Each structure stands twice: as C-alpha cells, then as structure tokens.
Amino acid sequence: LQRGLDTTPVGFVTNDAGTIGASPDQFVGEDGQMEIKIPNPANHLGFLLGYGTTYEEHKVQVQTQLWITGRFWNDAVSYNKVMPMALARIERDEKFIAILKEIVEAFSAKLEAKAKELADLGWMDAAKAKNAEPAFSKETDLAYAAWVSGRSN
C-alpha cells in the first residue's frame, strides 16, 4: 500500500524440476515480491535506522526466493507494534544467485543420490526416494534406528 502496488498471496514456488523451492510472503505487481519480518524491538530499530540488518540477515533467503520466482526485487518489511514500519527494497543480485544456485543444485544432487542409494538398499521406499526431501530425514532416522538396534545389516 505504501508504494501503491497490488500484492498477491503466494504459496511454495519451485524450480521447473520441482526439486528446489522457496516461499515469499507475497508477490508484488509483476516484478516483485515481499518478505515480512516481525523482529524483536532492537532488531526492528536496526531495520528502521538502516544498519544493514534488513538485507544481510536475510540475504540467502531473499536471493533464493528471487532466483526461484524469477522476480527482480523484494520489498523487505519489518513490523513492530510500537514503532513505525520499516520498508527496504532489495534488488536481485545475479552474481550471488549464480554462486547460490551452484551450491544448492550440488546439494540437491547429493540428496537425490543418497535417497536413491537408500532405496537401492531397501531402507527407503523407492517412490519416496523420488521426492527425497519430505521423507528423507524420517526414513534415514528409521534406517539408522534399525541399524543401531541390530535389525538391519
């Protein structure tokens, strides 16, 4: 409302493969998104005074969202019920996103390979291995518990 732009609620957004995702709080117009924070009073004051916390504390989160959504900027909002609202625009950082993308995609590939390995060993349902993230830690915890108890080789 402060900038005269329409916002649209958005849920979880993924890359084309459906392997990496993010969840901005709102889409703003055609090019932007919004992330709303409700920090403690000291941190909110930092947001208001522009000490860099708006961006630096949430850099990975916001740049990941911009990468996945394809949006160009993020309006970071900091709210505190007794102080004025803080609003800062964070632009897309292509250099940072390129590094982030490389690291996250490498991790995702390792996660998928580990899930396949567990499925091949019979420790994880093969269908769940194709969507490793939701089932991965539950299944590995069960496999580890079975191994520790001697119920698995």
Side-chain angles (χ1 to χ4, degrees), residues 43-120:
N43 286 343
H44 181 74
L45 187 59
F47 280 91
L48 280 171
L49 297 174
Y51 289 147
T53 57
T54 302
Y55 181 63
E56 291 304 321
E57 285 187 19
H58 306 289
K59 181 176 185 171
V60 173
Q61 177 188 17
V62 168
Q63 291 299 328
T64 300
Q65 291 171 347
L66 292 170
W67 160 39
I68 298 299
T69 65
R71 300 277 170 142
F72 297 101
W73 50 264
N74 181 90
D75 278 346
V77 176
S78 179
Y79 175 79
N80 181 283
K81 64 183 178 182
V82 298
M83 291 185 252
M85 183 181 78
L87 175 63
R89 180 153 293 174
I90 300 167
E91 301 289 335
R92 188 178 174 94
D93 181 342
E94 294 296 344
K95 186 176 179 181
F96 185 85
I97 289 172
I99 295 166
L100 179 70
K101 183 178 178 185
E102 183 179 332
I103 292 166
V104 171
E105 287 178 346
F107 172 79
S108 182
K110 285 181 182 179
L111 178 64
E112 290 173 27
K114 186 55 70 175
K116 183 182 180 321
E117 179 185 333
L118 292 173
D120 291 346

Side-chain angles (χ1 to χ4, degrees), residues 12-22 67-68 104-105 108-109 111-112 128-135:
F12 192 70
V13 181
T14 66
N15 64 353
D16 291 339
T19 55
I20 301 166
W67 160 39
I68 298 299
V104 171
E105 287 178 346
S108 182
L111 178 64
E112 290 173 27
K128 289 181 182 179
K130 291 183 183 194
N131 187 14
E133 187 177 358

